[in-house]
Every structure is written in structure tokens, then in C-alpha cells.
Amino acid sequence: MTNINDVILEGVIVHKFVTPKIAILTINTGNATPTQNFPKVLFFGDFIADIEKNYEVKDHIKVT
């Protein structure tokens, strides 16, 4: 482990919202617990164009 502060979210995109200033992805992180988790990940800057072009709902994604 190189950095103890790393957080990795991995799952399927269930919602995508993109504006010129922000992109928001809601990710289903799976059924590892009795209650499902749907964290939202916010992207700014150069990531917005990448999210808009390359990622769609139902795609599997891993965010570090």
C-alpha cells in the first residue's frame, strides 16, 4: 500500500449528470452490505469532457 489515504470506489454507473462546470456520477457499489450504497462522485475541470464522452449509465467504473 503506497498511500493509506487512498479511497477506491468500484461499481456500475446508475446516473450521470453533466454540465459545463461539473460532472456527477452516481455509482452502485454492490451488495456487500445489507443496505446498498450509491455514492456520488463529482468531477471538475478536464475530467468533465472525459466523463461526457467515454462513460455511460450501466458502465463499470473504478474511481481512485
Side-chain angles (χ1 to χ4, degrees):
M1 182 184 315
T2 59
N3 188 348
I4 61 171
N5 293 320
D6 281 350
V7 175
I8 299 171
L9 292 175
E10 187 172 358
V12 177
I13 299 170
V14 293
H15 186 258
K16 174 179 150 182
F17 179 76
V18 179
T19 70
K21 294 186 177 186
I22 191 169
I24 303 171
L25 296 179
T26 304
I27 301 171
N28 179 357
T29 56
N31 299 328
T33 61
T35 56
Q36 288 187 339
N37 293 313
F38 294 93
K40 293 181 188 284
V41 183
L42 285 64
F43 298 89
F44 301 95
D46 296 335
F47 292 110
I48 296 171
D50 185 45
I51 295 296
E52 189 169 25
K53 289 182 205 173
N54 299 323
Y55 297 96
E56 295 298 328
V57 173
K58 297 184 182 177
D59 285 351
H60 190 270
I61 190 170
K62 183 175 183 180
V63 180
T64 303

